[in-house]
Amino acid sequence: MTTDRATATAWVREVAADRWDAALAARGFTRAAAALVYSRKVADDGRQRLHLDLSVRHGEFQLSPRATVAFPSIAAEATRLLGPSAADKSGVVDMELLDILDPGSPMLLFGTRDDLTALPVERYLLAPMVPWLDERTTVAAVTEAVRARADRHPGNPGRFPVIVAAGELAQGNPGGALATLERAYPEGSPGRTEYAAAFDEVRALAPGATPEPPPPAALSYQLTTANSLVGVPVPNPGPDQLERVVRRLNEERFYALLERSDGVYAQVGFGPKSGAAPGAYALEHRAGVHLRADTTDPDAAVRFLQRFRAGDDTWRDGHEWRRLEL
């Protein structure tokens, strides 16, 4: 690599000014001339940012968009609950990467300024990243969004439930905060010990609260594709994510696998590598019995995964299924 990092950074600033700033300004974001971060204020003293992280990968520069959400009121309560382990002092209470929001997105690699100009950066910032931020513009909204993230990992929710509890405290609901912690970290779980200080703080604020019984564990889903990063499946993808992934299947990115936490899965393959004809899709479902059907209709392939994800038994409709023996 002959280009240094300072030059690559200057290119990003120049292309941002020429190509991306106006579109993001229309969505309320601003960027300082010397910065690689877009920012906008939202309700409840919140601030949202789109970060253009720059790194070196395989002899080229890589641009990795990242979205963060900061709310001082939630951050203050989280610091109280987490104590010294509250490492992020910036007030960030939720964060996501483009690779997770859209697992079918390409690596944004460039070696020259022309390469950078040709990258579809604006497209991915405007969707799915800005819509993700649009769902987190108030304390109440981000609290529910983080709750959904915690629910995706019922056996190991990490510290997400503590952030949810902090959001409920910020809204004046200590009883709800205690119920959140009780559900996420039941007696005997590692989290009960790790976040014992959070329990103590919340109980002090809600001494008369009676914890609700924990609900039955919800089924979760994980999406992987032929080019997914090893060990980084997408948890609980939404219908729009599934549609994007299926419509972008090709001869290299030739399958999308959606696995449920009980071991049942649905998969869409594309082309000969999946055992289908060129341009056709192979639909597979396994729940003890392994079934397969073929279609040339991308809309039907999209509906198959979306219906499976929604728990809708109509995923079978419109196809001639045959049993596969392994």
Side-chain angles (χ1 to χ4, degrees):
M1 176 184 294
T2 57
T3 303
D4 60 27
R5 188 185 186 90
T7 300
T9 301
W11 289 343
V12 176
R13 291 170 181 152
E14 292 167 4
V15 175
D18 291 343
R19 303 285 299 275
W20 314 328
D21 284 5
L24 287 165
R27 304 301 298 271
F29 290 89
T30 60
R31 182 186 65 85
L36 299 185
V37 179
Y38 291 93
S39 177
R40 73 177 177 185
K41 293 181 180 180
V42 291
D44 302 329
D45 293 324
R47 185 170 292 275
Q48 299 181 331
R49 294 179 175 89
L50 290 166
H51 307 254
L52 302 174
D53 297 332
L54 188 64
S55 60
V56 178
R57 184 183 180 93
H58 304 312
E60 293 183 283
F61 291 101
Q62 180 177 6
L63 207 59
S64 301
R66 172 171 56 98
T68 61
V69 180
F71 281 94
S73 59
I74 299 179
E77 296 294 349
T79 299
R80 174 159 64 163
L81 299 184
L82 292 168
S85 67
D88 192 338
K89 306 302 182 184
S90 66
V92 170
V93 295
D94 204 5
M95 184 273 290
E96 197 56 277
L97 306 173
L98 172 60
D99 290 346
I100 301 300
L101 291 176
D102 186 352
S105 61
M107 290 185 181
L108 300 173
L109 301 172
F110 64 97
T112 68
R113 191 185 188 285
D114 288 343
D115 293 341
L116 174 62
T117 301
L119 291 176
V121 176
E122 177 185 327
R123 166 187 168 187
Y124 289 106
L125 293 176
L126 293 176
M129 302 199 78
V130 170
W132 184 87
L133 291 172
D134 288 342
E135 295 174 353
R136 292 157 171 81
T137 56
T138 67
V139 164
V142 79
T143 299
E144 293 310 308
V146 178
R147 190 193 308 278
R149 297 191 71 161
D151 290 345
R152 293 170 194 163
H153 307 281
N156 184 24
R159 63 169 58 184
F160 285 128
V162 181
I163 304 301
V164 176
E168 289 168 325
L169 290 179
Q171 297 174 79
N173 183 15
L178 181 58
T180 291
L181 296 178
E182 292 282 358
R183 285 194 298 269
Y185 311 118
E187 290 286 356
S189 68
R192 191 78 168 203
T193 301
E194 184 174 358
Y195 301 111
F199 276 91
D200 292 342
E201 288 284 345
V202 175
R203 286 194 188 104
L205 295 172
T210 302
E212 301 172 8
L219 291 172
S220 60
Y221 294 78
Q222 290 190 329
L223 174 68
T224 54
T225 64
N227 69 328
S228 291
L229 296 174
V230 175
V232 189
V234 176
N236 291 321
D240 292 342
Q241 286 178 293
L242 293 175
E243 180 170 8
R244 285 194 297 268
V245 168
V246 171
R247 293 193 186 280
R248 292 174 186 170
L249 292 177
N250 54 42
E251 296 299 329
E252 297 302 319
R253 189 188 299 123
F254 65 94
Y255 73 82
L257 171 67
L258 185 59
E259 186 171 12
R260 206 165 64 193
S261 54
D262 61 358
V264 177
Y265 72 77
Q267 176 176 296
V268 174
F270 180 80
K273 285 187 178 180
S274 68
Y281 297 86
L283 314 183
E284 296 188 27
H285 182 274
R286 186 166 186 177
V289 176
H290 193 178
L291 302 176
R292 174 167 171 149
D294 297 285
T295 183
T296 57
D297 182 0
D299 293 338
V302 169
R303 285 195 299 272
F304 165 60
L305 275 197
Q306 289 177 333
R307 288 172 175 175
F308 172 71
R309 170 66 180 88
D312 184 347
D313 285 341
T314 61
W315 59 262
R316 301 177 180 85
D317 294 354
H319 303 289
E320 294 184 6
W321 295 94
R322 61 187 185 276
R323 182 168 178 166
L324 293 182
E325 301 293 344
L326 298 181

Short mmCIF file of all heavy atoms in Angstrom, two decimals, residues 20-71:
data_model
loop_
_atom_site.label_atom_id
_atom_site.label_comp_id
_atom_site.label_asym_id
_atom_site.label_seq_id
_atom_site.Cartn_x
_atom_site.Cartn_y
_atom_site.Cartn_z
N TRP A 20 -22.22 12.83 0.05
CA TRP A 20 -23.09 12.28 1.11
C TRP A 20 -23.70 13.34 2.01
O TRP A 20 -24.77 13.12 2.57
CB TRP A 20 -22.30 11.28 1.98
CG TRP A 20 -21.49 10.30 1.19
CD1 TRP A 20 -21.79 9.78 -0.04
CD2 TRP A 20 -20.23 9.72 1.55
NE1 TRP A 20 -20.81 8.93 -0.46
CE2 TRP A 20 -19.84 8.86 0.51
CE3 TRP A 20 -19.41 9.85 2.67
CZ2 TRP A 20 -18.65 8.14 0.55
CZ3 TRP A 20 -18.24 9.12 2.72
CH2 TRP A 20 -17.86 8.27 1.67
N ASP A 21 -23.04 14.47 2.18
CA ASP A 21 -23.49 15.45 3.17
C ASP A 21 -24.91 15.95 2.90
O ASP A 21 -25.72 16.07 3.83
CB ASP A 21 -22.53 16.65 3.19
CG ASP A 21 -21.23 16.34 3.91
OD1 ASP A 21 -21.03 15.18 4.30
OD2 ASP A 21 -20.41 17.27 4.07
N ALA A 22 -25.22 16.27 1.67
CA ALA A 22 -26.53 16.85 1.36
C ALA A 22 -27.65 15.88 1.66
O ALA A 22 -28.68 16.25 2.24
CB ALA A 22 -26.57 17.29 -0.10
N ALA A 23 -27.47 14.60 1.27
CA ALA A 23 -28.52 13.60 1.50
C ALA A 23 -28.76 13.39 2.99
O ALA A 23 -29.91 13.27 3.44
CB ALA A 23 -28.15 12.28 0.83
N LEU A 24 -27.69 13.39 3.78
CA LEU A 24 -27.84 13.18 5.21
C LEU A 24 -28.34 14.44 5.90
O LEU A 24 -29.04 14.37 6.92
CB LEU A 24 -26.54 12.70 5.82
CG LEU A 24 -26.22 11.23 5.45
CD1 LEU A 24 -24.78 10.90 5.75
CD2 LEU A 24 -27.15 10.28 6.19
N ALA A 25 -28.00 15.61 5.36
CA ALA A 25 -28.53 16.86 5.91
C ALA A 25 -30.06 16.88 5.82
O ALA A 25 -30.74 17.41 6.70
CB ALA A 25 -27.94 18.05 5.19
N ALA A 26 -30.60 16.29 4.75
CA ALA A 26 -32.04 16.23 4.60
C ALA A 26 -32.70 15.36 5.66
O ALA A 26 -33.90 15.46 5.91
CB ALA A 26 -32.40 15.70 3.21
N ARG A 27 -31.91 14.50 6.32
CA ARG A 27 -32.41 13.66 7.40
C ARG A 27 -32.00 14.20 8.77
O ARG A 27 -32.13 13.50 9.77
CB ARG A 27 -31.90 12.22 7.23
CG ARG A 27 -32.24 11.60 5.89
CD ARG A 27 -33.74 11.55 5.63
NE ARG A 27 -34.43 10.73 6.60
CZ ARG A 27 -34.63 9.41 6.47
NH1 ARG A 27 -34.19 8.79 5.38
NH2 ARG A 27 -35.27 8.73 7.39
N GLY A 28 -31.48 15.43 8.79
CA GLY A 28 -31.18 16.09 10.05
C GLY A 28 -29.77 15.95 10.55
O GLY A 28 -29.45 16.39 11.66
N PHE A 29 -28.86 15.36 9.77
CA PHE A 29 -27.49 15.13 10.21
C PHE A 29 -26.55 16.23 9.71
O PHE A 29 -26.70 16.76 8.60
CB PHE A 29 -26.97 13.78 9.68
CG PHE A 29 -27.63 12.59 10.31
CD1 PHE A 29 -28.78 12.05 9.76
CD2 PHE A 29 -27.10 12.01 11.44
CE1 PHE A 29 -29.39 10.94 10.33
CE2 PHE A 29 -27.71 10.90 12.03
CZ PHE A 29 -28.86 10.37 11.46
N THR A 30 -25.57 16.55 10.53
CA THR A 30 -24.51 17.47 10.13
C THR A 30 -23.16 16.79 10.36
O THR A 30 -23.05 15.84 11.13
CB THR A 30 -24.56 18.77 10.95
OG1 THR A 30 -24.41 18.45 12.35
CG2 THR A 30 -25.87 19.50 10.73
N ARG A 31 -22.15 17.31 9.66
CA ARG A 31 -20.79 16.78 9.80
C ARG A 31 -19.81 17.94 9.80
O ARG A 31 -19.84 18.78 8.89
CB ARG A 31 -20.46 15.82 8.65
CG ARG A 31 -19.08 15.17 8.74
CD ARG A 31 -18.77 14.35 7.50
NE ARG A 31 -18.68 15.19 6.31
CZ ARG A 31 -17.57 15.84 5.94
NH1 ARG A 31 -16.45 15.73 6.64
NH2 ARG A 31 -17.59 16.60 4.85
N ALA A 32 -18.94 18.01 10.80
CA ALA A 32 -17.89 19.02 10.79
C ALA A 32 -16.91 18.71 9.66
O ALA A 32 -16.67 17.55 9.32
CB ALA A 32 -17.16 19.03 12.13
N ALA A 33 -16.32 19.74 9.07
CA ALA A 33 -15.48 19.57 7.89
C ALA A 33 -14.34 18.59 8.13
O ALA A 33 -13.94 17.85 7.22
CB ALA A 33 -14.94 20.92 7.44
N ALA A 34 -13.77 18.56 9.33
CA ALA A 34 -12.63 17.71 9.61
C ALA A 34 -13.02 16.35 10.19
O ALA A 34 -12.14 15.55 10.52
CB ALA A 34 -11.67 18.41 10.57
N ALA A 35 -14.32 16.07 10.29
CA ALA A 35 -14.77 14.86 10.98
C ALA A 35 -15.21 13.78 10.01
O ALA A 35 -15.54 14.04 8.85
CB ALA A 35 -15.93 15.21 11.92
N LEU A 36 -15.23 12.55 10.52
CA LEU A 36 -15.78 11.40 9.80
C LEU A 36 -17.02 10.89 10.53
O LEU A 36 -17.31 9.69 10.53
CB LEU A 36 -14.75 10.28 9.69
CG LEU A 36 -13.45 10.59 8.94
CD1 LEU A 36 -12.59 9.35 8.82
CD2 LEU A 36 -13.75 11.17 7.56
N VAL A 37 -17.76 11.81 11.14
CA VAL A 37 -18.95 11.45 11.91
C VAL A 37 -20.07 12.42 11.57
O VAL A 37 -19.87 13.63 11.55
CB VAL A 37 -18.66 11.52 13.43
CG1 VAL A 37 -19.92 11.18 14.22
CG2 VAL A 37 -17.54 10.58 13.82
N TYR A 38 -21.26 11.86 11.28
CA TYR A 38 -22.48 12.64 11.13
C TYR A 38 -23.25 12.59 12.44
O TYR A 38 -23.31 11.54 13.09
CB TYR A 38 -23.35 12.08 10.01
CG TYR A 38 -22.76 12.26 8.63
CD1 TYR A 38 -21.97 11.26 8.05
CD2 TYR A 38 -22.99 13.43 7.91
CE1 TYR A 38 -21.43 11.42 6.79
CE2 TYR A 38 -22.46 13.60 6.63
CZ TYR A 38 -21.67 12.59 6.08
OH TYR A 38 -21.13 12.76 4.83
N SER A 39 -23.89 13.69 12.81
CA SER A 39 -24.57 13.76 14.10
C SER A 39 -25.89 14.51 13.96
O SER A 39 -26.02 15.41 13.13
CB SER A 39 -23.67 14.48 15.11
OG SER A 39 -24.31 14.63 16.35
N ARG A 40 -26.88 14.09 14.76
CA ARG A 40 -28.13 14.86 14.85
C ARG A 40 -28.69 14.75 16.26
O ARG A 40 -28.50 13.75 16.96
CB ARG A 40 -29.16 14.37 13.83
CG ARG A 40 -29.81 13.04 14.14
CD ARG A 40 -30.87 12.68 13.12
NE ARG A 40 -31.44 11.36 13.38
CZ ARG A 40 -32.33 10.76 12.59
NH1 ARG A 40 -32.73 11.34 11.46
NH2 ARG A 40 -32.80 9.56 12.90
N LYS A 41 -29.36 15.81 16.69
CA LYS A 41 -30.03 15.83 17.98
C LYS A 41 -31.44 15.25 17.82
O LYS A 41 -32.09 15.45 16.80
CB LYS A 41 -30.11 17.25 18.52
CG LYS A 41 -28.76 17.85 18.88
CD LYS A 41 -28.93 19.27 19.43
CE LYS A 41 -27.58 19.88 19.80
NZ LYS A 41 -27.74 21.26 20.34
N VAL A 42 -31.89 14.55 18.87
CA VAL A 42 -33.25 14.02 18.88
C VAL A 42 -33.89 14.39 20.22
O VAL A 42 -33.30 15.13 21.01
CB VAL A 42 -33.25 12.48 18.67
CG1 VAL A 42 -32.83 12.14 17.24
CG2 VAL A 42 -32.35 11.77 19.67
N ALA A 43 -35.07 13.89 20.47
CA ALA A 43 -35.81 14.24 21.69
C ALA A 43 -35.08 13.77 22.95
O ALA A 43 -34.16 12.94 22.89
CB ALA A 43 -37.20 13.61 21.63
N ASP A 44 -35.49 14.30 24.09
CA ASP A 44 -34.97 13.89 25.40
C ASP A 44 -33.47 14.09 25.52
O ASP A 44 -32.77 13.28 26.15
CB ASP A 44 -35.33 12.42 25.67
CG ASP A 44 -36.82 12.15 25.64
OD1 ASP A 44 -37.59 13.07 25.99
OD2 ASP A 44 -37.23 11.04 25.26
N ASP A 45 -32.95 15.15 24.88
CA ASP A 45 -31.52 15.46 24.90
C ASP A 45 -30.65 14.37 24.28
O ASP A 45 -29.46 14.24 24.60
CB ASP A 45 -31.02 15.72 26.33
CG ASP A 45 -31.64 16.98 26.92
OD1 ASP A 45 -31.83 17.95 26.16
OD2 ASP A 45 -31.94 16.99 28.13
N GLY A 46 -31.26 13.58 23.41
CA GLY A 46 -30.50 12.50 22.78
C GLY A 46 -29.67 13.00 21.60
O GLY A 46 -29.92 14.06 21.03
N ARG A 47 -28.67 12.21 21.25
CA ARG A 47 -27.84 12.50 20.09
C ARG A 47 -27.52 11.19 19.37
O ARG A 47 -27.16 10.20 20.01
CB ARG A 47 -26.53 13.20 20.49
CG ARG A 47 -25.69 13.63 19.27
CD ARG A 47 -24.54 14.52 19.67
NE ARG A 47 -24.98 15.81 20.16
CZ ARG A 47 -25.26 16.85 19.36
NH1 ARG A 47 -25.15 16.73 18.04
NH2 ARG A 47 -25.63 18.00 19.88
N GLN A 48 -27.68 11.24 18.06
CA GLN A 48 -27.40 10.07 17.23
C GLN A 48 -26.25 10.37 16.29
O GLN A 48 -26.11 11.50 15.80
CB GLN A 48 -28.65 9.69 16.42
CG GLN A 48 -29.84 9.32 17.28
CD GLN A 48 -31.04 8.92 16.45
OE1 GLN A 48 -31.22 9.38 15.32
NE2 GLN A 48 -31.88 8.05 17.00
N ARG A 49 -25.44 9.34 16.02
CA ARG A 49 -24.28 9.54 15.17
C ARG A 49 -24.13 8.39 14.17
O ARG A 49 -24.44 7.24 14.49
CB ARG A 49 -23.00 9.64 16.01
CG ARG A 49 -22.93 10.89 16.89
CD ARG A 49 -21.66 10.92 17.71
NE ARG A 49 -21.53 12.16 18.47
CZ ARG A 49 -22.01 12.34 19.70
NH1 ARG A 49 -22.65 11.36 20.31
NH2 ARG A 49 -21.86 13.50 20.31
N LEU A 50 -23.64 8.75 13.00
CA LEU A 50 -23.20 7.79 11.99
C LEU A 50 -21.69 7.95 11.86
O LEU A 50 -21.20 9.00 11.45
CB LEU A 50 -23.88 8.07 10.65
CG LEU A 50 -25.37 7.75 10.57
CD1 LEU A 50 -25.98 8.38 9.32
CD2 LEU A 50 -25.60 6.24 10.58
N HIS A 51 -20.96 6.90 12.21
CA HIS A 51 -19.50 6.94 12.20
C HIS A 51 -18.98 6.26 10.94
O HIS A 51 -19.45 5.18 10.57
CB HIS A 51 -18.94 6.20 13.41
CG HIS A 51 -19.49 6.66 14.72
ND1 HIS A 51 -18.77 7.43 15.61
CD2 HIS A 51 -20.70 6.45 15.32
CE1 HIS A 51 -19.51 7.67 16.68
NE2 HIS A 51 -20.68 7.08 16.53
N LEU A 52 -18.00 6.86 10.30
CA LEU A 52 -17.33 6.27 9.15
C LEU A 52 -15.95 5.79 9.62
O LEU A 52 -14.95 6.49 9.48
CB LEU A 52 -17.21 7.29 8.02
CG LEU A 52 -18.52 7.89 7.52
CD1 LEU A 52 -18.26 8.99 6.50
CD2 LEU A 52 -19.42 6.81 6.93
N ASP A 53 -15.92 4.60 10.19
CA ASP A 53 -14.66 4.07 10.73
C ASP A 53 -13.76 3.62 9.59
O ASP A 53 -14.19 2.90 8.68
CB ASP A 53 -14.95 2.90 11.67
CG ASP A 53 -15.76 3.32 12.89
OD1 ASP A 53 -15.63 4.50 13.29
OD2 ASP A 53 -16.50 2.49 13.42
N LEU A 54 -12.50 4.02 9.65
CA LEU A 54 -11.54 3.73 8.59
C LEU A 54 -10.47 2.79 9.13
O LEU A 54 -9.88 3.02 10.19
CB LEU A 54 -10.89 5.03 8.09
CG LEU A 54 -10.00 4.93 6.84
CD1 LEU A 54 -10.81 4.50 5.63
CD2 LEU A 54 -9.33 6.28 6.58
N SER A 55 -10.20 1.70 8.38
CA SER A 55 -9.19 0.74 8.78
C SER A 55 -8.50 0.19 7.54
O SER A 55 -8.90 0.49 6.40
CB SER A 55 -9.81 -0.40 9.59
OG SER A 55 -10.79 -1.08 8.83
N VAL A 56 -7.48 -0.62 7.75
CA VAL A 56 -6.75 -1.25 6.65
C VAL A 56 -7.08 -2.73 6.64
O VAL A 56 -7.04 -3.40 7.68
CB VAL A 56 -5.22 -1.06 6.81
CG1 VAL A 56 -4.48 -1.77 5.69
CG2 VAL A 56 -4.88 0.42 6.82
N ARG A 57 -7.41 -3.25 5.45
CA ARG A 57 -7.77 -4.67 5.33
C ARG A 57 -7.21 -5.20 4.02
O ARG A 57 -7.56 -4.70 2.95
CB ARG A 57 -9.29 -4.84 5.38
CG ARG A 57 -9.74 -6.30 5.35
CD ARG A 57 -11.26 -6.38 5.32
NE ARG A 57 -11.73 -7.75 5.30
CZ ARG A 57 -12.04 -8.46 6.37
NH1 ARG A 57 -11.92 -7.91 7.56
NH2 ARG A 57 -12.47 -9.70 6.27
N HIS A 58 -6.34 -6.20 4.12
CA HIS A 58 -5.78 -6.85 2.94
C HIS A 58 -5.16 -5.86 1.95
O HIS A 58 -5.36 -5.95 0.73
CB HIS A 58 -6.83 -7.69 2.22
CG HIS A 58 -7.50 -8.71 3.10
ND1 HIS A 58 -6.80 -9.57 3.92
CD2 HIS A 58 -8.82 -9.01 3.30
CE1 HIS A 58 -7.65 -10.35 4.57
NE2 HIS A 58 -8.88 -10.02 4.22
N GLY A 59 -4.42 -4.90 2.47
CA GLY A 59 -3.73 -3.96 1.60
C GLY A 59 -4.60 -2.86 1.03
O GLY A 59 -4.14 -2.08 0.19
N GLU A 60 -5.86 -2.79 1.45
CA GLU A 60 -6.75 -1.72 1.02
C GLU A 60 -7.34 -1.03 2.25
O GLU A 60 -7.25 -1.55 3.36
CB GLU A 60 -7.89 -2.26 0.14
CG GLU A 60 -7.45 -2.81 -1.19
CD GLU A 60 -8.65 -3.27 -2.01
OE1 GLU A 60 -9.16 -4.35 -1.72
OE2 GLU A 60 -9.05 -2.53 -2.94
N PHE A 61 -7.95 0.12 2.03
CA PHE A 61 -8.66 0.79 3.11
C PHE A 61 -10.10 0.29 3.13
O PHE A 61 -10.70 0.04 2.08
CB PHE A 61 -8.64 2.30 2.92
CG PHE A 61 -7.27 2.90 3.12
CD1 PHE A 61 -6.48 3.24 2.03
CD2 PHE A 61 -6.76 3.08 4.41
CE1 PHE A 61 -5.22 3.78 2.21
CE2 PHE A 61 -5.50 3.62 4.59
CZ PHE A 61 -4.72 3.97 3.50
N GLN A 62 -10.64 0.14 4.34
CA GLN A 62 -12.02 -0.29 4.50
C GLN A 62 -12.79 0.76 5.28
O GLN A 62 -12.35 1.21 6.34
CB GLN A 62 -12.13 -1.63 5.22
CG GLN A 62 -13.57 -2.09 5.40
CD GLN A 62 -13.69 -3.46 6.05
OE1 GLN A 62 -12.70 -4.04 6.49
NE2 GLN A 62 -14.90 -3.99 6.11
N LEU A 63 -13.96 1.12 4.76
CA LEU A 63 -14.86 2.03 5.44
C LEU A 63 -15.95 1.19 6.10
O LEU A 63 -16.61 0.39 5.43
CB LEU A 63 -15.47 3.00 4.43
CG LEU A 63 -15.92 4.37 4.94
CD1 LEU A 63 -14.75 5.13 5.56
CD2 LEU A 63 -16.51 5.17 3.79
N SER A 64 -16.12 1.33 7.41
CA SER A 64 -17.09 0.52 8.16
C SER A 64 -18.08 1.44 8.86
O SER A 64 -17.79 1.96 9.95
CB SER A 64 -16.36 -0.35 9.19
OG SER A 64 -15.42 -1.20 8.57
N PRO A 65 -19.25 1.68 8.28
CA PRO A 65 -20.25 2.54 8.93
C PRO A 65 -20.77 1.92 10.23
O PRO A 65 -20.98 0.71 10.33
CB PRO A 65 -21.36 2.63 7.88
CG PRO A 65 -20.68 2.36 6.58
CD PRO A 65 -19.65 1.33 6.91
N ARG A 66 -20.99 2.78 11.21
CA ARG A 66 -21.46 2.37 12.53
C ARG A 66 -22.42 3.43 13.05
O ARG A 66 -22.20 4.62 12.87
CB ARG A 66 -20.25 2.22 13.46
CG ARG A 66 -20.56 1.97 14.92
CD ARG A 66 -19.25 1.62 15.66
NE ARG A 66 -18.24 2.65 15.51
CZ ARG A 66 -17.99 3.60 16.41
NH1 ARG A 66 -18.72 3.68 17.53
NH2 ARG A 66 -17.03 4.49 16.21
N ALA A 67 -23.51 3.00 13.67
CA ALA A 67 -24.50 3.93 14.22
C ALA A 67 -24.50 3.83 15.74
O ALA A 67 -24.46 2.73 16.30
CB ALA A 67 -25.89 3.60 13.68
N THR A 68 -24.57 4.98 16.42
CA THR A 68 -24.65 5.00 17.88
C THR A 68 -25.75 5.93 18.34
O THR A 68 -26.09 6.90 17.66
CB THR A 68 -23.32 5.44 18.53
OG1 THR A 68 -22.99 6.77 18.09
CG2 THR A 68 -22.19 4.50 18.18
N VAL A 69 -26.32 5.62 19.51
CA VAL A 69 -27.40 6.40 20.10
C VAL A 69 -27.01 6.75 21.53
O VAL A 69 -26.67 5.85 22.32
CB VAL A 69 -28.72 5.60 20.12
CG1 VAL A 69 -29.84 6.43 20.73
CG2 VAL A 69 -29.09 5.15 18.72
N ALA A 70 -27.03 8.02 21.88
CA ALA A 70 -26.65 8.46 23.23
C ALA A 70 -27.81 9.23 23.85
O ALA A 70 -28.37 10.14 23.23
CB ALA A 70 -25.41 9.34 23.18
N PHE A 71 -28.18 8.83 25.08
CA PHE A 71 -29.18 9.55 25.87
C PHE A 71 -28.61 9.75 27.26
O PHE A 71 -28.40 8.78 28.00
CB PHE A 71 -30.49 8.78 25.94
CG PHE A 71 -31.34 8.90 24.71
CD1 PHE A 71 -31.27 7.94 23.71
CD2 PHE A 71 -32.20 9.97 24.54
CE1 PHE A 71 -32.04 8.05 22.57
CE2 PHE A 71 -32.98 10.09 23.41
CZ PHE A 71 -32.90 9.14 22.41
#
